[in-house]
Amino acid sequence: MKRIALIICILSICSARLLAQSGKVLKGTVVNTNNEPVVNATIQEKDTQNGTVTDITGKFELRLKSNGGILLVSHMSYLSNQVKVPSGDVLNIRMESRSIDMNEAVVVGYGRQSKKNMTSSVSSVKGTELSKSSSPTLGNALTGRLSGVTVLQTSGQPGADLGNMYVRGQGSFNGNNRPMVIMDDIEVGFDVLGTMDVNEVESISVLKDAASTAVYGIKGANGVILITTKRGKAGPPKVNFLTEHGTLSPTALPKFLNSYESALLRREAWVNEGKDPATQEPGYLSDEALEAYRTGSDPYLYPSVNWYDEVLKKSSYQNRNKVDISGGTERVKYFTSFGYDYQNGIFKEFSKSQGYNSNYYLKRYSFRSNLDLSLTQTTLVKVSASGNFNEVNSPNGTSDLYSAISAFQNLPPYAFPIFNRNGTLGAGGSTIFRNPVGLLTYMGYNREYTNKLYTNLSVNQDLAFITPGLSARFLLGYNNNNRHNRNLTRSNFPSYRYDAVNDLYEPRDQGVTKLDPPSRGGSLGHVNHDFTNILQIDYARNFGKHGLNLMALLNSASHHRGTNSTGGDEKVIYAERGITGKAAYNFHHKYLFEVSGAYNGSDRFKGKQRYAWFPAASAGWNISDENFMKNRLKFITGLKLRGSIGLTGIDDVGTNSYVYEQVYQNNGNVYFGEVATGAPGIMEGTLGNDNVTWEKDRKWNIGMDASLFDGRLGITLEYFDRFRYDILTTRSVPTIVGVGLPPVNLGKVQTRGVELELSFNDRKGDWGYGVNGIFSFQRGKVIERDEPEPRYPHLRRTGRPIDQPFGYIWEGFYQDQADIDNSANPAGTLIPGSLKYKDVNGDGKIDNNDQVPIGYSRVPQIQYGVTLSLSWKQFDLSCLLQGAALFSVSYGGQSAAPFNSNLLPIHQERWTPGKGNDAQFYSLSATLGQSNQSASTFWQRRGDYLRVKNVELAYRLPRSFAQKLRLEGARIYANTYNLYTWSKMQNFYAQWDPERPDGNANYPLQRIINAGVQINF
């Protein structure tokens, strides 16, 4: 008996020790790189069968068999990871997304589709990536993140900085090449990309080929952008608060010469014309004046004003605040968000003394409410309402103040002082621009208010009681866009020009010697309504190894346009309706086939031209699922080949919505009687065209998707060919015809290109790193257009890219008068040092017949982006490098033409006797040499650039510490936008950003440095 008791005692002690070693319970949470919970992640002890999975909140609890082992963490959508068992009882794990997740569902037209089964060309980006951009404009945040998408931002003006966007290049020379934009299955205007809050976005997909866009029929030719907004998830309420504050400054500003340097060159320009500068511009260019400019001895009589320094701030300010609440139950889920954005302009706040703001600024209030109601187990109702209220301010008195202060003829630096000696505002002559300080102080403002509302209601009904896999959806959408404006204006303000001879101050504007009270005004603007109805039937079912997906859809839309003015008529501008269908079949998810199409009609056309069929077909082969691949090339996680071909269209016919109608105009007078009595008449305008129809785009696409090394490396490679035909073109006829001709369908454009997406993501313990790159190349040419047979082949526009620039070939400078006399010359007076052009046709003169294609189009043929990411414990670092190539920029006009633009350092490198062709700029003349400013290879430069587009550094509070503060989480970050740019023309025209429009000195693009905090409750 004693022996039995002893054995029991020994066993009890050993068991206690074993329990002490293996009975530890480990708790924790698994999240992704966006700090979102990973559901159904597997946590397993290495070399054991002991494991568990995470719940809906990403939490887990596991009783370990060993306290010092290794945990294997895995999930089908994330990279597997190994983590050491911590000494404590809590472990938070972070998982890195696979570079290409074949099981991920991607938003496509009217539904979702797994990447594994997808046979079309679709690029997508998550909202969490877009939110790393400090730009308040959603469309600009897409730059460099999606292959096949070109974004060309031309302005940094608050509220007006949305860039032009192209999907796979320019398809038409008819004007509108913007893609269609869909938000939650309802068409919205392109401008939603300039006003929507990026924090409302769950993901954005871009549909590029016919297989993905044919379901949109007459709207899909330019590509389609699908915006999916965030929705609630079952769970306790979650509150996210975000606030950001940043500074903005121009990416590039010209450095103009001062008065002394400018006057020296101006004098030289008059001398080159054989004229006396002192008599041409008395008081400004005398020896006395130049000495005063140099020494600064009398800044009132001989000023040297840098207007950029005087009216522009070194930096401006932006502020963004967001809060969203989400959560719900299995029956009711909700997502609600509110936002406020503020961005002010680059001008100084001179108008504060007058009690108003004349600077540029943007104020935007936004909201969204998405509600999902499960009325029954088979009926789901989704209600969405969102909107934004925008207030955009600009100074009154000039359409573009920034441009005005850049122009020499408007405002040379020696024109007048800001303030006269007696304290009054300075002024020049009547041909000189008004004092910018006075304009910003007294002339008031123009303020535009735009209110946008987007609503939709969908009822989703599971019809499995009829047959498994059958469902129906009814979707109703209503959009409203209301715009009006207010202004506070003065017609003038007192400013004075000093008369040194008589020692008098003369008003710039006769009789304007006092400040009149401002007047208020405005207009009620316009209101637009859009209604959309969709009835959709879906059938998705697997029969053993066979998978079948069918979709049939009826849609109609009407677009109402009107004014807010009293008695204004609201009328339906255009409407469309159609039938859409799609059928997809797969065998064991290995062999994929899909056909789709839309039969659409538009009231923009007449009779039999109103309806047309837009079909598409595609196929794919998941070759990695073949046994010969699985057994031999195990490093290949997934490999798919795919191809598509189809037809899409576009019904945008320009400003005249009904081109088949004859147009009559109130114009001219009719006279009756012996004594002529006039009466208003009606004259025949543009003729109608009963046969006009939409433009069509035949697209075909070949692609490959590869996932290697357990999803760490992803590759997508595509080749596309799009052929746009029936492009609407207005025929060229002699004016003797007497009426305008309607557009006809005769243009043709072909565009071909390649796209590449590369991604590599991995995680080693606490370290995560990744490289994601996109590359797009496209080249198009006009196959047919309405072009008379040119006199010389080099003048032909057909066969060249859309917007191909033409100009003269610059061959150097005229060295002397003999060189001018013995050369082919353009019209006008020339002087030694003027630009010398090539006589292409050899007729002994330079005229339009000598212009040839020069350089590239303004739209880049190459776009690329590389995103580098690095994470360590609670720190995250990402950097987006974005660039463009094979496009040209012209620097004529206000950009750099002397005495059109204010003078620049490059003008000091002008031609002079002795420099010869080593000079960098032509000789200066005050009134001659207009031929110098003609389009030519002298002005044109390659615009290729590489830009540090976005950089973000973030720190996440450890979850344990955040919970002590009663927080779910917190994140502190700093990011930048347009941080630095390297460009081809950096040494020559570094003062201009390569994306700015040709020949214009418009509001500069902005560099943003931003800091913020995000708190999760």
Side-chain angles (χ1 to χ4, degrees):
M1 190 72 180
K2 290 182 178 180
R3 289 182 179 179
I4 294 173
L6 179 61
I7 291 171
I8 293 173
C9 181
I10 292 173
L11 290 174
S12 299
I13 293 172
C14 292
S15 299
R17 288 182 177 179
L18 288 172
L19 286 172
Q21 292 177 354
S22 62
K24 174 179 176 179
V25 177
L26 184 66
K27 297 181 180 180
T29 305
V30 179
V31 298
N32 59 21
T33 54
N34 298 315
N35 213 32
E36 299 168 336
V38 177
V39 182
N40 292 328
T42 300
I43 297 92
Q44 183 177 344
E45 281 191 271
K46 190 174 183 179
D47 299 327
T48 75
Q49 298 298 317
N50 184 36
T52 186
V53 295
T54 57
D55 62 16
I56 195 172
T57 63
K59 295 180 179 179
F60 70 90
E61 183 175 315
L62 177 65
R63 182 178 293 278
L64 301 175
K65 291 186 176 181
S66 172
N67 287 341
I70 300 293
L71 295 179
L72 304 179
V73 186
S74 62
H75 189 282
M76 61 190 305
S77 297
Y78 296 87
L79 296 176
S80 300
N81 198 9
Q82 297 187 17
V83 182
K84 290 183 179 180
V85 174
S87 58
D89 298 330
V90 177
L91 174 63
N92 294 318
I93 303 171
R94 199 175 185 197
M95 301 194 75
E96 197 85 20
S97 298
R98 294 179 184 270
S99 294
I100 292 184
D101 178 14
M102 289 297 185
N103 298 298
E104 180 185 0
V106 177
V107 177
V108 295
Y110 302 114
R112 290 175 177 265
Q113 194 172 22
S114 70
K115 284 187 175 180
K116 187 178 181 69
N117 291 342
M118 196 159 58
T119 56
S120 55
S121 178
V122 179
S123 293
S124 61
V125 61
K126 295 181 179 178
T128 49
E129 287 298 311
L130 299 176
S131 63
K132 294 178 181 179
S133 171
S134 51
S135 171
T137 304
L138 173 61
N140 295 340
L142 297 175
T143 307
R145 300 185 185 275
L146 294 165
S147 65
V149 178
T150 300
V151 181
L152 192 62
Q153 186 182 353
T154 57
S155 174
Q157 181 179 327
D161 63 343
L162 176 61
N164 297 320
M165 188 175 296
Y166 309 91
V167 176
R168 290 186 165 176
Q170 294 175 281
S172 174
F173 52 76
N174 190 31
N176 183 9
N177 285 284
R178 288 176 171 177
M180 180 188 190
V181 181
I182 302 288
M183 182 170 65
D184 293 336
D185 285 332
I186 299 295
E187 182 183 0
V188 293
F190 180 80
D191 59 350
V192 74
L193 296 174
T195 58
M196 186 177 181
D197 181 1
V198 67
N199 291 282
E200 299 175 8
V201 176
E202 180 69 28
S203 67
I204 288 182
S205 296
V206 180
L207 315 184
K208 299 181 288 187
D209 68 340
S212 58
T213 61
V215 293
Y216 295 103
I218 59 173
K219 298 283 190 177
N222 292 335
V224 181
I225 294 178
L226 303 181
I227 303 173
T228 302
T229 61
K230 294 178 179 178
R231 308 198 76 86
K233 299 176 181 178
K238 292 184 178 181
V239 180
N240 298 316
F241 172 73
L242 177 149
T243 183
E244 297 179 353
H245 301 265
T247 61
L248 300 87
S249 58
T251 57
L253 273 182
K255 295 178 172 61
F256 293 131
L257 303 182
N258 60 31
S259 286
Y260 175 68
E261 296 165 326
S262 297
L264 279 177
L265 296 183
R266 184 67 170 174
R267 275 172 53 122
E268 182 179 309
W270 284 115
V271 171
N272 287 341
E273 294 185 12
K275 299 174 183 177
D276 180 9
T279 59
Q280 295 298 322
E281 297 182 36
Y284 291 112
L285 301 178
S286 63
D287 292 339
E288 177 187 356
L290 258 71
E291 181 62 18
Y293 295 146
R294 188 184 69 81
T295 62
S297 59
D298 191 345
Y300 293 102
L301 187 58
Y302 300 107
S304 182
V305 181
N306 186 322
W307 288 105
Y308 275 11
D309 288 346
E310 297 300 332
V311 303
L312 302 185
K313 297 182 290 188
K314 297 298 183 183
S315 64
S316 52
Y317 170 76
Q318 79 170 20
N319 171 229
R320 304 166 69 188
N321 299 281
K322 320 289 177 187
V323 61
D324 64 72
I325 306 169
S326 63
T329 65
E330 293 300 325
R331 295 291 300 273
V332 180
K333 304 181 186 71
Y334 56 89
F335 174 86
T336 302
S337 70
F338 301 93
Y340 171 71
D341 294 328
Y342 174 76
Q343 190 180 79
N344 72 354
I346 199 171
F347 291 110
K348 294 180 179 179
E349 314 290 348
F350 294 107
S351 60
K352 278 187 176 180
S353 62
Q354 302 298 304
Y356 54 78
N357 189 348
S358 64
N359 194 6
Y360 291 100
Y361 71 71
L362 163 69
K363 292 180 182 179
R364 178 182 298 138
Y365 304 86
S366 57
F367 77 92
R368 172 167 292 280
S369 179
N370 289 347
L371 185 64
D372 299 347
L373 304 171
S374 297
L375 299 183
T376 68
Q377 291 185 348
T378 62
T379 306
L380 174 64
V381 176
K382 295 183 177 182
V383 181
S384 299
S386 65
N388 49 73
F389 309 99
N390 303 273
E391 181 181 322
V392 178
N393 201 73
S394 59
N396 178 53
T398 176
S399 58
D400 190 348
L401 181 58
Y402 183 86
S403 176
I405 63 176
S406 303
F408 184 90
Q409 70 269 30
N410 288 337
L411 209 59
Y414 50 73
F416 54 83
I418 302 174
F419 293 99
N420 292 314
R421 204 183 307 271
N422 65 354
T424 58
L425 283 168
S430 59
T431 60
I432 298 295
F433 192 69
R434 286 177 291 187
N435 191 314
V437 172
L439 189 148
L440 288 169
T441 305
Y442 299 115
M443 291 296 285
Y445 59 80
N446 293 308
R447 192 166 296 164
E448 183 177 83
Y449 298 86
T450 305
N451 303 323
K452 300 177 182 292
L453 177 66
Y454 307 97
T455 63
N456 69 68
L457 167 68
S458 70
V459 180
N460 301 266
Q461 180 63 53
D462 189 343
L463 301 175
F465 65 89
I466 299 176
T467 184
L470 185 65
S471 63
R473 180 176 70 145
F474 174 72
L475 182 62
L476 175 65
Y478 169 72
N479 301 332
N480 178 282
N481 184 342
N482 190 313
R483 178 178 298 174
H484 65 279
N485 62 71
R486 292 173 49 193
N487 54 64
L488 183 74
T489 62
R490 286 187 174 93
S491 59
N492 216 325
F493 60 89
S495 58
Y496 299 87
R497 182 173 183 269
Y498 179 61
D499 180 358
V501 175
N502 299 307
D503 192 25
L504 296 174
Y505 289 95
E506 300 176 343
R508 175 190 183 275
D509 301 287
Q510 190 66 33
V512 180
T513 58
K514 66 177 183 178
L515 192 65
D516 294 329
S519 60
R520 295 186 180 274
S523 67
L524 295 175
H526 69 255
V527 58
N528 298 336
H529 304 282
D530 300 286
F531 298 89
T532 303
N533 300 283
I534 296 174
L535 176 61
Q536 181 177 344
I537 305 293
D538 290 287
Y539 180 71
R541 193 171 177 181
N542 293 322
F543 302 91
K545 294 183 178 181
H546 304 274
L548 183 64
N549 291 77
L550 303 176
M551 186 267 286
L553 180 145
L554 299 175
N555 70 286
S556 66
S558 60
H559 310 275
H560 302 243
R561 299 294 180 262
T563 64
N564 279 325
S565 59
T566 303
D569 294 329
E570 185 180 85
K571 60 180 180 179
V572 178
I573 293 297
Y574 61 97
E576 65 265 350
R577 65 182 62 174
I579 303 172
T580 299
K582 182 164 68 173
Y585 167 79
N586 73 79
F587 177 74
H588 208 207
H589 302 286
K590 186 187 302 184
Y591 309 110
L592 316 170
F593 304 93
E594 183 176 299
V595 292
S596 60
Y599 183 71
N600 289 135
S602 170
D603 72 344
R604 295 189 176 197
F605 312 108
K606 187 176 182 180
K608 63 180 182 180
Q609 304 296 340
R610 282 191 168 178
Y611 287 88
W613 174 248
F614 300 93
S618 59
W621 179 23
N622 279 306
I623 191 173
S624 57
D625 287 353
E626 300 288 357
N627 291 331
F628 66 84
M629 292 286 289
K630 289 182 179 179
N631 299 331
R632 298 181 182 179
L633 302 174
K634 295 184 178 181
F635 67 93
I636 298 179
T637 312
L639 177 62
K640 179 172 62 178
L641 304 178
R642 54 182 167 82
S644 67
I645 187 170
L647 184 69
T648 58
I650 187 168
D651 66 342
D652 186 354
V653 295
T655 56
N656 186 358
S657 297
Y658 300 101
V659 294
Y660 58 84
E661 290 185 338
Q662 168 75 62
V663 174
Y664 295 93
Q665 302 170 337
N666 290 323
N667 201 350
N669 290 308
V670 178
Y671 295 93
F672 301 94
E674 295 181 1
V675 178
T677 303
I682 297 177
M683 65 179 293
E684 194 174 30
T686 303
L687 299 176
N689 181 2
D690 290 347
N691 295 316
V692 71
T693 186
W694 37 62
E695 299 181 7
K696 304 171 185 66
D697 205 318
R698 190 269 297 142
K699 307 169 187 273
W700 65 269
N701 189 91
I702 298 174
M704 180 202 74
D705 302 308
S707 177
L708 311 176
F709 309 111
D710 194 29
R712 286 170 171 79
L713 176 63
I715 305 172
T716 295
L717 178 63
E718 300 193 73
Y719 173 81
F720 67 88
D721 184 314
R722 55 182 300 201
F723 181 70
R724 180 75 68 90
Y725 62 98
D726 283 348
I727 297 175
L728 291 168
T729 307
T730 301
R731 301 300 299 261
S732 302
V733 295
T735 55
I736 194 174
V737 173
V739 295
L741 293 186
V744 294
N745 300 101
L746 62 81
K748 298 176 182 178
V749 171
Q750 186 170 51
T751 306
R752 294 170 175 166
V754 295
E755 296 167 0
L756 176 65
E757 296 181 11
L758 288 174
S759 55
F760 180 82
N761 294 292
D762 201 2
R763 175 165 286 276
K764 301 294 184 182
D766 292 332
W767 289 92
Y769 47 91
V771 179
N772 295 274
I774 62 102
F775 174 87
S776 305
F777 168 77
Q778 55 78 25
R779 176 171 292 169
K781 64 178 180 179
V782 177
I783 303 298
E784 183 177 340
R785 69 191 309 165
D786 181 54
E787 181 181 22
E789 185 64 28
R791 187 173 181 180
Y792 300 99
H794 61 260
L795 299 176
R796 188 182 301 279
R797 259 77 175 164
T798 304
R800 310 190 193 280
I802 297 174
D803 298 336
Q804 167 68 54
F806 277 70
Y808 299 113
I809 298 175
W810 172 53
E811 291 191 314
F813 306 98
Y814 292 105
Q815 299 303 312
D816 49 34
Q817 188 60 45
D819 191 7
I820 296 173
D821 295 338
N822 296 319
S823 302
N825 300 324
T829 303
L830 299 173
I831 61 174
S834 294
L835 298 182
K836 188 176 184 179
Y837 303 129
K838 183 177 182 179
D839 182 11
V840 175
N841 64 356
D843 64 355
K845 61 181 179 180
I846 303 297
D847 56 21
N848 290 340
N849 291 322
D850 295 301
Q851 293 193 352
V852 298
I854 56 174
Y856 297 95
S857 167
R858 190 66 182 84
V859 178
Q861 294 184 16
I862 290 177
Q863 280 276 356
Y864 58 93
V866 178
T867 301
L868 309 173
S869 59
L870 180 67
S871 64
W872 178 71
K873 293 187 177 181
Q874 308 304 120
F875 291 93
D876 294 288
L877 176 65
S878 66
C879 175
L880 170 61
L881 303 175
Q882 177 265 328
L886 298 187
F887 74 102
S888 295
V889 180
S890 178
Y891 288 92
Q894 280 191 346
S895 298
F899 313 125
N900 193 342
S901 160
N902 265 302
L903 296 171
L904 300 161
I906 188 64
H907 298 141
Q908 294 177 312
E909 307 301 320
R910 78 282 183 203
W911 183 95
T912 57
K915 282 187 179 180
N917 284 327
D918 292 332
Q920 295 188 47
F921 209 84
Y922 57 80
S923 59
L924 304 179
S925 61
T927 62
L928 304 177
Q930 289 301 310
S931 65
N932 289 330
Q933 298 185 30
S934 299
S936 72
T937 54
F938 174 82
W939 292 112
Q940 196 176 66
R941 292 291 183 274
R942 281 276 293 272
D944 303 13
Y945 69 87
L946 171 64
R947 199 192 298 273
V948 182
K949 195 68 176 181
N950 290 111
V951 179
E952 181 176 81
L953 176 63
Y955 175 75
R956 293 174 293 105
L957 266 64
R959 183 176 288 269
S960 58
F961 181 74
Q963 290 175 345
K964 290 180 182 179
L965 300 176
R966 300 182 180 276
L967 300 176
E968 182 69 21
R971 182 171 176 267
I972 304 169
Y973 58 91
N975 53 32
T976 65
Y977 179 75
N978 288 342
L979 182 62
Y980 190 79
T981 304
W982 297 270
S983 65
K984 276 272 189 180
M985 68 285 185
Q986 206 157 20
N987 295 330
F988 199 65
Y989 292 118
Q991 67 271 13
W992 297 116
D993 192 285
E995 290 190 77
R996 49 157 288 282
D998 289 349
N1000 293 325
N1002 63 328
Y1003 198 104
L1005 272 67
Q1006 297 294 295
R1007 176 187 299 110
I1008 303 175
I1009 300 177
N1010 196 57
V1013 60
Q1014 184 175 0
I1015 302 174
N1016 312 116
F1017 298 95

